[in-house]
Amino acid sequence: MTGIALRLLRHRPGSVLATLIALIAGVTILTSMGALVESGLRPLPEPQQYANAEIVVAKRDLTITGKQLGDPYTATVQLPERGSLPAGLADELRKVPGVENVAGNADALTLQASDRVAVEKVAASAGAQVYTGNDRVLVERPDIAEARGLLIEVGGAFGGYVVMLVMFVVAGTIGLSIRSRRRDLALLRATAATPGQVRRMLMAEAAILAVAGSVVGVPAGLLASRWLGEQLVARGFVPADYGLSRGLLAAPAAVLLIVLVALGSALLASRKLSGIRPAEALSQIAVEPARLSKVRLGFGLVALTGAVSSSAVSVGAGGQAALAGAVSMLYLFVLAVALLAPWINGITARYLAPVLRAGWGNSGYLAAKNLAANARGGATVLTALVLSIGFGGSVWFLQDNVERQTVQQLKSGTLAQYTVLTPGEVSVEKLGRIPGVEAVTPMRQTAVIVKVLDTLEVVPAQAIDPAQAKATLDLKVRKGELAAVGPDSIAVSATQAASRGWKVGDEASLWLGDGTPKRLRVAAIYERGLGFGDVVLSTATFGQPPTKLLIRATPDAVPALKAAIGQSATLIPSEQATAGVSKDLAISAWLNKLLITVMIGYAGLAAANTMTVAALARRRELAVLQLAGVTTRQLKRMVHAEQAGLLGVSVLIGGVIAAVTLTAVVYALTGGAVPYVPLAGVLAILGGATLIAMGTTIVPIARLLRQSSLAAAGTRE
Amino acid sequence: MPLLTADRAASAAVRVQELTRTYDAGGQPVTALDGIDATFVRGTFTAVMGPSGSGKSTLLQTAAGLDRPTSGRVFVGDTEMTRLSEAALTRLRRTKIGFVFQMFNLIGALNVEENITLPLRLSGARPDRRWLAEVTHRVGVTNQLHRRPAELSGGQQQRVAIARALAIRPDVVFADEPTGALDSHTASAVLELLRSIVDDHGQTIIMVTHDPVAASYADRVVTLADGRIVADRNQREAEAVA
Ligand SMILES: Nc1ncnc2c1ncn2[C@@H]1O[C@H](COP(=O)(O)OP(=O)(O)O)[C@@H](O)[C@H]1O
Ligand SMILES: [Mg+2]
């Protein structure tokens, strides 16, 4: 069958090319996504500082075990702050038989031991871990451990959504290209191919295309992952000596996945075709059965309900989690649209008919009839357009909204006019006594760890001295009081309070950044969580030195302040500090934006491809219309009218989906009900969708119309 | 006198019994075939006539195993087709039954030779070169073997379709308005070709047509109306018995 499959492929270069492009781009994306995960999982470099230590004991991770619904689980996170070892641990370890040469300090201990397990037991009782081999590098190089975590998180979590997108697009394109050849396949069945032979032929064809796509996609993916690696190092996401993988393992995995997805979608599409009656080859126009299954309708409504209700649930805090939440919500919506598309198309065709007639006359009339008759075939096209409009209209703006809101909250929440960076050992009391200084608030950017179901989540936090915070910070406290935050209490953001179910007066269980477990009372709930972190601790709870000082003072106090803080610290106006933060934000958002661009681009490509395949499949139908006396000009107008109708519906549905998703996520994150959407962005999305919808249909149709209609009506599909 | 006599029953190429076929047209049942009994004797050329919508195509398709009847039985030779699985039915079709449709007979991606040998290829049979050469010569497409269907005239395409049907040495060839899309000159050439295949090779042919001129080439004319046989006439008994 492979021979025949190849012949059939060569005969329809247009749709083969479209499928190939989707596959090539898919392999490229999967390879470079995979390279990230591969880099995250690759062997660590040799340790330097601990090169000669057989065993290192340190506190760098937090691990919990427990049972969730009877299933045991283990969760581990890297500690946001270096954990220190209890004073007695060295002596405890010396008591373990076989342990020798214990040395070190509160940060880490080195030792030799004959029984590693015994050491682990003692270490674990102090919340510490045992590191041997190349793992020792994790103790001396927290930046490597952090890069590792980032690579796995981005490659794995976000990569999962990219994989789903690629699968969705590849399956859609292959399915469409198979369905558009219904008549040829019916003829094959009539002239003696068994259903199994047709299925094997279609699968052979899909496999050939997937492999051919990989031949181009793998080198492209390797190049892309090389570039991505360079960027990650240059932008400080990954240390230069980390040694990123180039995707040599990811590439075969990507190829395997693409081949399997291609085979699977060919199998699925051919199963749908197995109901094909060979007798269909004889009829004038091969149409798909008009009956739509109730099951499909049911699943579509379930997906829609799921999407709508998931938009009511607040999503996790933090840029990455918010993005993931938004994308999964979008997927549910798009799935619902994919399932309900035949009905949507049918209803649209009915209501659009008068509009299309008014705008395009007889061509509009034909267009409405086509939309109605092709309600099912048009499903893929509608879904692809909605997908790209929904994506374009939400995730990009979401990232923008998060950045804007963060900076906005920082600006309006900082009452102190001056900020001291890298304060070191500067005495807060001394600064407070300078004439013209009203208040000084030391602040340390840190993070805490909370348990969410059976996982651990790192939550951004600040440790402050609340004494004078009223004059330097306005966190927009909604309940309780910031001044009430003391050694045994915290303030939490409204977002965090809502998702954890915390109220003022409740006890919150969490771990400090260095892994110390705490039970702290919620003393206040505030709104500006994006700008100032979701948890505010007292310096009395977490005594690490501050990373900055907020100072409320009159301008004439500046010279004295500058003199008092010394050479190593810097005093800048707070607006300047905020600008610095927004620059840092933009840098850390770079990776998100890159991934978003790739996803939107791929969705757009998918839409373009789908419409090209659908347009090329209309050769015979157009020829029949031409023979029936419809002029080329009228046909073109008819196609314009159809695309305009389709585009209008897609913009409407995609726009609503994007708006709901964006509003829900932005509301959950910021409490603001109206997301910020720049006009230029909206115009770019609309323009892009219009360009795709018109360009990818009008060009192939014009090409079809140049060919002789008789020949097309006679033999070719 | 009816064609079916006791000693010829064994030489029936196709036999249908109490054949009915109803379609579901938008919830409304349409009876396309309403209890058809007929026997088609080996080596005869039968024309099926009747007004549009009388069930001609449906009869042809159910008799040929392209479609399944709602009830009734279809025999090709001794095999009851109506009992076969889809795959077994396909295997039977590609070894015993040839088809010629009104149009869209050929796969555009394959050239003439590949189209002709497609059923053989699909059944994994080694093509009989001599027979293929004879068939292509007979239908007059020897010079077009490497052309694509799109490069052929309508008459040439029908000739290729006939060659494909004959290539498997079928027990019976079914043709649904094979000349419906051709001009009268080309049509008569195709009909003469069919006639000569019956006369020279003893091929059985069942052809649907609504054109009396086309029907005049046949030995027997069966006329349908509303899914029933309303007339059954022998017009060339002498040749049919040959
Ligand atoms: N796929 C179908 N679905 C519903 N009705 C059909 C279908 N095919 C044929 N029919 C109906 O069955 C009847 C017989 O059709 P057909 O066998 O094609 O007639 P003929 O070939 O004599 O013109 C007609 O009424 C036709 O409308
Ligand atoms: Mg007919």
Side-chain angles (χ1 to χ4, degrees), chain A residues 277, chain B residues 23-25 30 32 51-59:
Chain A
R277 295 177 311 127
Chain B
Y23 289 108
D24 177 41
V30 175
S52 179
S54 57
K56 305 183 294 290
S57 294
T58 307
L59 174 61

Side-chain angles (χ1 to χ4, degrees), chain A residues 335-412:
Chain A
L335 182 66
V337 170
L339 290 169
L340 298 176
W343 288 274
I344 298 174
N345 283 344
I347 294 168
T348 322
R350 182 137 26 99
Y351 288 102
L352 267 187
V355 182
L356 294 179
R357 271 197 90 146
W360 282 270
N362 281 335
S363 301
Y365 165 79
L366 283 175
K369 290 279 173 219
N370 281 342
L371 286 176
N374 199 22
R376 190 163 192 178
T380 322
V381 176
L382 179 82
T383 310
L385 261 181
V386 167
L387 178 73
S388 44
I389 294 172
F391 251 105
S394 59
V395 276
W396 182 268
F397 297 138
L398 173 62
Q399 181 67 36
D400 242 29
N401 269 271
V402 171
E403 275 176 58
R404 264 178 80 88
Q405 277 293 328
T406 308
V407 172
Q408 188 63 43
Q409 291 189 2
L410 263 176
K411 267 190 194 152
S412 15

Side-chain angles (χ1 to χ4, degrees), chain A residues 7 189 192 197 620 713-714, chain B residues 86 93-94 104 114 122 157:
Chain A
R7 304 306 298 265
R189 287 278 290 109
Q197 278 178 319
R620 189 199 307 276
Chain B
E86 196 55 41
R93 276 207 309 270
R94 72 185 172 202
F104 317 136
E114 290 162 340
L122 288 167
Q157 285 184 32

Side-chain angles (χ1 to χ4, degrees), chain A residues 32-365:
Chain A
S32 37
M33 258 2 254
L36 287 186
V37 182
E38 193 187 326
S39 299
L41 298 176
R42 68 169 316 201
L44 291 163
E46 294 276 333
Q48 305 285 319
Q49 187 188 341
Y50 297 116
N52 297 320
E54 185 188 310
I55 292 180
V56 182
V57 176
K59 211 167 160 183
R60 295 289 183 270
D61 292 336
L62 174 66
T63 298
I64 55 163
T65 53
K67 274 195 175 175
Q68 175 85 20
L69 302 171
D71 287 330
Y73 64 85
T74 309
T76 302
V77 285
Q78 192 196 348
L79 290 176
E81 306 260 3
R82 278 188 176 221
S84 54
L85 301 170
L89 184 62
D91 288 333
E92 295 264 330
L93 285 169
R94 281 191 191 98
K95 281 186 223 150
V96 176
V99 168
E100 284 169 31
N101 298 335
V102 179
N105 51 32
D107 185 51
L109 292 169
T110 60
L111 54 92
Q112 282 167 343
S114 50
D115 183 3
R116 189 191 149 142
V117 178
V119 175
E120 266 172 4
K121 235 183 212 162
V122 175
S125 65
Q129 297 84 38
V130 167
Y131 298 86
T132 55
N134 283 7
D135 278 358
R136 290 169 297 170
V137 85
L138 295 175
V139 181
E140 60 187 49
R141 292 287 302 275
D143 56 339
I144 286 186
E146 207 172 301
R148 215 172 191 216
L150 174 87
L151 290 170
I152 295 176
E153 182 184 341
V154 170
F158 212 94
Y161 287 117
V162 177
V163 170
M164 276 165 73
L165 180 66
V166 170
M167 287 169 62
F168 194 79
V169 166
V170 168
T173 314
I174 289 184
L176 181 67
S177 83
I178 287 177
R179 260 180 294 136
S180 69
R181 281 179 293 151
R182 200 176 164 81
R183 174 194 297 282
D184 257 359
L185 299 175
L187 187 58
L188 262 179
R189 287 278 290 109
T191 53
T194 60
Q197 278 178 319
V198 171
R199 193 161 58 233
R200 280 195 296 281
M201 186 195 80
L202 293 174
M203 289 175 72
E205 182 186 299
I208 291 169
L209 284 179
V211 169
S214 302
V215 168
V216 182
V218 165
L222 292 177
L223 280 180
S225 65
R226 171 183 219 117
W227 174 85
L228 182 60
E230 281 162 8
Q231 294 295 312
L232 287 176
V233 171
R235 288 164 199 273
F237 287 93
V238 172
D241 59 349
Y242 185 88
L244 285 163
S245 311
R246 296 295 182 225
L248 291 178
L249 291 176
V255 173
L256 186 68
L257 184 67
I258 278 284
V259 170
L260 287 180
V261 170
L263 284 177
S265 27
L267 182 65
L268 207 72
S270 64
R271 278 210 176 279
K272 268 196 225 151
L273 280 182
S274 67
I276 204 167
R277 295 177 311 127
E280 273 182 37
L282 290 84
S283 59
Q284 281 284 332
I285 298 288
V287 284
E288 290 187 59
R291 223 179 323 127
L292 291 165
S293 91
K294 289 207 174 71
V295 181
R296 182 173 182 162
L297 182 64
F299 275 118
L301 293 176
V302 167
L304 187 64
T305 318
V308 170
S309 59
S310 86
S311 69
V313 176
S314 64
V315 284
Q320 197 91 165
L323 213 55
V327 173
S328 66
M329 192 189 297
L330 266 176
Y331 275 7
L332 272 177
F333 270 122
V334 172
L335 182 66
V337 170
L339 290 169
L340 298 176
W343 288 274
I344 298 174
N345 283 344
I347 294 168
T348 322
R350 182 137 26 99
Y351 288 102
L352 267 187
V355 182
L356 294 179
R357 271 197 90 146
W360 282 270
N362 281 335
S363 301
Y365 165 79

Side-chain angles (χ1 to χ4, degrees), chain A residues 551-578:
Chain A
I551 300 179
R552 184 169 176 126
T554 49
D556 46 304
V558 171
L561 276 169
K562 279 195 170 159
I565 60 174
Q567 290 292 313
S568 58
T570 27
L571 178 96
I572 52 171
S574 291
E575 304 92 75
Q576 209 174 313
T578 312

